[in-house]
Amino acid sequence: NIDAILVRSATQVRQELIEACPSLKLIGRAGVGLDNIDVDYAEDNGLHVINTPTASSSSVAELVFAHLFGMVRFLHSSNREMPLEGDSRFKELKKAYSQGIELQGKTIGIIGFGRIGQEVAKIAIGLGMKVLANDELVTNAPITLEFFNGQKTTFNIDTVEKEELLKNSDFITLHLPVLDSTRKMINADLLSNLKEGAVLLNFAREEIVDTSAVVEALESGKLAKYIADFPTPELIGHRGAVLTPHIGASTDEAEENCAVMAADQLKDFLENGNIKNSVNFPPLNLDRTPGCDSVRLS
């Protein structure tokens, strides 16, 4: 007698579980990724799958820049090697890590210009960076910054082909879903367009990148660093890779936003029949029938 299932990322909602719930009407994901849900089988059986695409956008975007700041100033490496100031190695370490760079004036290329990509663009603009964007569905990409005093300023972002983006970007960050068209999109052929010494960041999904091509680009020096939120076995411990254990949405604010948004959407569907952020069916907003306090789906 289950009407809805609400999960985060760990619970697997596969065909067997869906079949065990004959009264199921909706599957809710408190988060964005849908790797743990059999969306195709749900759609074949008329079940809505909803997620919370805006709840963790700021959290992921901020992690991108946490990594960038740490990388360009060697924060992690220098911390791990730090001797006492009186130690003879102190001056050597200071000299070794004195070649940092500023993000201001650099170019960041964003592949996948959805909600997270746009949040990345906002931060980059605020830092004085140039922003290039690539998205198959986006040709016009205005970004509006709103300041504390209420003032708003709109910036038009240059949308370019992926090859041009790689040729002109100091940093390339990925924010794409895993689809047949995006699986191993970042391959050896595409990476051949990289600007020498560029940095690639992947906060989307591991499957978007051809790992062997990334390793080859790192070994050749074409790619300076690969930063990802996925601990790919081939890259763990590699001198050119900086990896985190899938913590993009792991902030107090994002966790709460995801839970509240998912619960509100689920409640609105069961009580009113409204559909928001469904990944497999169009949105729907039903007008109330006069005289009815609530409409429950049978």
Short mmCIF file of all heavy atoms in Angstrom, two decimals, residues 163-189:
data_model
loop_
_atom_site.label_atom_id
_atom_site.label_comp_id
_atom_site.label_asym_id
_atom_site.label_seq_id
_atom_site.Cartn_x
_atom_site.Cartn_y
_atom_site.Cartn_z
N GLU A 163 35.18 22.25 -28.76
CA GLU A 163 36.58 22.34 -29.19
C GLU A 163 37.14 23.74 -28.96
O GLU A 163 38.27 23.90 -28.48
CB GLU A 163 36.70 21.97 -30.68
CG GLU A 163 36.42 20.51 -30.98
CD GLU A 163 34.93 20.17 -31.01
OE1 GLU A 163 34.09 21.10 -30.90
OE2 GLU A 163 34.61 18.98 -31.14
N GLU A 164 36.36 24.75 -29.29
CA GLU A 164 36.81 26.13 -29.08
C GLU A 164 36.94 26.44 -27.60
O GLU A 164 37.87 27.14 -27.17
CB GLU A 164 35.82 27.11 -29.74
CG GLU A 164 36.25 28.56 -29.62
CD GLU A 164 35.29 29.53 -30.28
OE1 GLU A 164 34.40 29.07 -31.05
OE2 GLU A 164 35.42 30.74 -30.04
N LEU A 165 36.00 25.90 -26.81
CA LEU A 165 36.04 26.12 -25.36
C LEU A 165 37.34 25.56 -24.78
O LEU A 165 38.02 26.22 -23.98
CB LEU A 165 34.82 25.48 -24.71
CG LEU A 165 34.64 25.67 -23.21
CD1 LEU A 165 33.15 25.78 -22.87
CD2 LEU A 165 35.28 24.54 -22.41
N LEU A 166 37.71 24.34 -25.19
CA LEU A 166 38.93 23.73 -24.66
C LEU A 166 40.19 24.49 -25.09
O LEU A 166 41.15 24.59 -24.34
CB LEU A 166 39.03 22.26 -25.09
CG LEU A 166 38.47 21.24 -24.08
CD1 LEU A 166 36.96 21.39 -23.92
CD2 LEU A 166 38.83 19.82 -24.48
N LYS A 167 40.18 25.01 -26.29
CA LYS A 167 41.35 25.73 -26.80
C LYS A 167 41.59 27.04 -26.06
O LYS A 167 42.73 27.52 -26.00
CB LYS A 167 41.17 26.03 -28.29
CG LYS A 167 41.31 24.81 -29.19
CD LYS A 167 41.06 25.19 -30.65
CE LYS A 167 41.18 23.97 -31.56
NZ LYS A 167 40.87 24.30 -32.98
N ASN A 168 40.55 27.62 -25.50
CA ASN A 168 40.66 28.97 -24.93
C ASN A 168 40.47 29.05 -23.42
O ASN A 168 40.49 30.14 -22.87
CB ASN A 168 39.64 29.89 -25.62
CG ASN A 168 39.96 30.12 -27.08
OD1 ASN A 168 40.88 30.84 -27.43
ND2 ASN A 168 39.19 29.48 -27.96
N SER A 169 40.29 27.91 -22.76
CA SER A 169 40.00 27.93 -21.32
C SER A 169 41.20 27.48 -20.50
O SER A 169 41.84 26.48 -20.82
CB SER A 169 38.80 27.02 -21.01
OG SER A 169 37.63 27.49 -21.64
N ASP A 170 41.45 28.20 -19.43
CA ASP A 170 42.47 27.78 -18.46
C ASP A 170 41.94 26.67 -17.57
O ASP A 170 42.69 25.80 -17.13
CB ASP A 170 42.89 28.97 -17.60
CG ASP A 170 43.44 30.11 -18.43
OD1 ASP A 170 44.52 29.93 -19.03
OD2 ASP A 170 42.77 31.17 -18.51
N PHE A 171 40.64 26.74 -17.29
CA PHE A 171 39.97 25.73 -16.47
C PHE A 171 38.71 25.30 -17.19
O PHE A 171 37.96 26.14 -17.69
CB PHE A 171 39.61 26.30 -15.10
CG PHE A 171 40.76 27.01 -14.42
CD1 PHE A 171 40.82 28.40 -14.40
CD2 PHE A 171 41.77 26.30 -13.80
CE1 PHE A 171 41.86 29.06 -13.79
CE2 PHE A 171 42.83 26.94 -13.19
CZ PHE A 171 42.88 28.33 -13.18
N ILE A 172 38.45 23.98 -17.23
CA ILE A 172 37.23 23.46 -17.85
C ILE A 172 36.49 22.67 -16.79
O ILE A 172 37.06 21.76 -16.17
CB ILE A 172 37.54 22.54 -19.05
CG1 ILE A 172 38.35 23.29 -20.11
CG2 ILE A 172 36.25 22.00 -19.65
CD1 ILE A 172 39.82 23.01 -20.05
N THR A 173 35.23 23.00 -16.56
CA THR A 173 34.45 22.31 -15.54
C THR A 173 33.20 21.70 -16.16
O THR A 173 32.54 22.31 -17.00
CB THR A 173 34.10 23.27 -14.38
OG1 THR A 173 33.36 22.57 -13.38
CG2 THR A 173 33.33 24.48 -14.84
N LEU A 174 32.90 20.46 -15.76
CA LEU A 174 31.83 19.67 -16.37
C LEU A 174 30.62 19.61 -15.46
O LEU A 174 30.75 19.30 -14.26
CB LEU A 174 32.32 18.25 -16.65
CG LEU A 174 33.64 18.11 -17.40
CD1 LEU A 174 34.05 16.64 -17.50
CD2 LEU A 174 33.54 18.73 -18.79
N HIS A 175 29.44 19.86 -16.03
CA HIS A 175 28.19 19.80 -15.26
C HIS A 175 27.08 19.24 -16.14
O HIS A 175 26.11 19.93 -16.48
CB HIS A 175 27.85 21.19 -14.72
CG HIS A 175 28.93 21.76 -13.87
ND1 HIS A 175 29.17 21.32 -12.59
CD2 HIS A 175 29.89 22.69 -14.13
CE1 HIS A 175 30.20 21.96 -12.08
NE2 HIS A 175 30.66 22.80 -13.00
N LEU A 176 27.25 17.95 -16.49
CA LEU A 176 26.35 17.29 -17.43
C LEU A 176 25.75 16.04 -16.81
O LEU A 176 26.37 15.40 -15.96
CB LEU A 176 27.14 16.84 -18.68
CG LEU A 176 27.83 17.92 -19.49
CD1 LEU A 176 28.99 17.30 -20.26
CD2 LEU A 176 26.85 18.56 -20.44
N PRO A 177 24.55 15.65 -17.26
CA PRO A 177 23.99 14.36 -16.84
C PRO A 177 24.62 13.24 -17.66
O PRO A 177 25.21 13.48 -18.72
CB PRO A 177 22.51 14.50 -17.17
CG PRO A 177 22.48 15.43 -18.34
CD PRO A 177 23.61 16.41 -18.11
N VAL A 178 24.54 12.02 -17.16
CA VAL A 178 25.02 10.87 -17.92
C VAL A 178 23.92 10.41 -18.87
O VAL A 178 22.86 9.94 -18.45
CB VAL A 178 25.42 9.71 -16.99
CG1 VAL A 178 25.84 8.49 -17.82
CG2 VAL A 178 26.55 10.12 -16.07
N LEU A 179 24.16 10.59 -20.16
CA LEU A 179 23.26 10.14 -21.21
C LEU A 179 24.09 9.36 -22.23
O LEU A 179 25.32 9.38 -22.18
CB LEU A 179 22.59 11.34 -21.89
CG LEU A 179 21.84 12.34 -20.99
CD1 LEU A 179 21.47 13.57 -21.78
CD2 LEU A 179 20.60 11.68 -20.40
N ASP A 180 23.43 8.70 -23.15
CA ASP A 180 24.17 8.02 -24.21
C ASP A 180 25.05 9.00 -24.97
O ASP A 180 26.17 8.67 -25.39
CB ASP A 180 23.20 7.33 -25.19
CG ASP A 180 22.51 6.13 -24.56
OD1 ASP A 180 23.03 5.61 -23.54
OD2 ASP A 180 21.44 5.73 -25.07
N SER A 181 24.57 10.23 -25.11
CA SER A 181 25.30 11.24 -25.87
C SER A 181 26.45 11.87 -25.09
O SER A 181 27.34 12.52 -25.67
CB SER A 181 24.34 12.34 -26.33
OG SER A 181 23.72 12.95 -25.21
N THR A 182 26.46 11.71 -23.75
CA THR A 182 27.51 12.33 -22.94
C THR A 182 28.49 11.32 -22.35
O THR A 182 29.53 11.70 -21.84
CB THR A 182 26.90 13.15 -21.79
OG1 THR A 182 26.16 12.27 -20.92
CG2 THR A 182 26.00 14.24 -22.32
N ARG A 183 28.16 10.03 -22.43
CA ARG A 183 29.04 9.02 -21.87
C ARG A 183 30.41 9.04 -22.59
O ARG A 183 30.48 8.94 -23.81
CB ARG A 183 28.39 7.65 -21.98
CG ARG A 183 28.96 6.60 -21.03
CD ARG A 183 28.17 5.31 -21.17
NE ARG A 183 26.77 5.48 -20.81
CZ ARG A 183 26.29 5.41 -19.57
NH1 ARG A 183 27.12 5.16 -18.58
NH2 ARG A 183 25.01 5.58 -19.33
N LYS A 184 31.48 9.20 -21.81
CA LYS A 184 32.85 9.31 -22.35
C LYS A 184 32.97 10.41 -23.40
O LYS A 184 33.75 10.32 -24.35
CB LYS A 184 33.31 7.97 -22.91
CG LYS A 184 33.54 6.92 -21.82
CD LYS A 184 34.30 5.72 -22.32
CE LYS A 184 34.60 4.77 -21.17
NZ LYS A 184 35.39 3.59 -21.59
N MET A 185 32.20 11.48 -23.19
CA MET A 185 32.30 12.65 -24.07
C MET A 185 33.70 13.25 -24.05
O MET A 185 34.24 13.67 -25.08
CB MET A 185 31.28 13.71 -23.64
CG MET A 185 31.44 15.04 -24.35
SD MET A 185 30.46 16.35 -23.59
CE MET A 185 28.82 15.88 -24.11
N ILE A 186 34.30 13.28 -22.86
CA ILE A 186 35.65 13.84 -22.73
C ILE A 186 36.63 12.72 -23.03
O ILE A 186 37.06 11.96 -22.15
CB ILE A 186 35.87 14.42 -21.32
CG1 ILE A 186 34.74 15.40 -20.96
CG2 ILE A 186 37.22 15.11 -21.23
CD1 ILE A 186 34.60 16.57 -21.89
N ASN A 187 36.97 12.58 -24.30
CA ASN A 187 37.84 11.50 -24.76
C ASN A 187 39.15 12.07 -25.32
O ASN A 187 39.39 13.28 -25.30
CB ASN A 187 37.11 10.66 -25.82
CG ASN A 187 36.54 11.53 -26.94
OD1 ASN A 187 37.12 12.54 -27.31
ND2 ASN A 187 35.39 11.14 -27.48
N ALA A 188 40.00 11.17 -25.82
CA ALA A 188 41.31 11.60 -26.32
C ALA A 188 41.20 12.59 -27.46
O ALA A 188 41.96 13.56 -27.55
CB ALA A 188 42.12 10.37 -26.75
N ASP A 189 40.23 12.37 -28.33
CA ASP A 189 40.06 13.26 -29.48
C ASP A 189 39.72 14.67 -29.03
O ASP A 189 40.29 15.65 -29.52
CB ASP A 189 38.97 12.69 -30.40
CG ASP A 189 38.80 13.52 -31.66
OD1 ASP A 189 39.83 13.82 -32.32
OD2 ASP A 189 37.66 13.90 -31.99
#
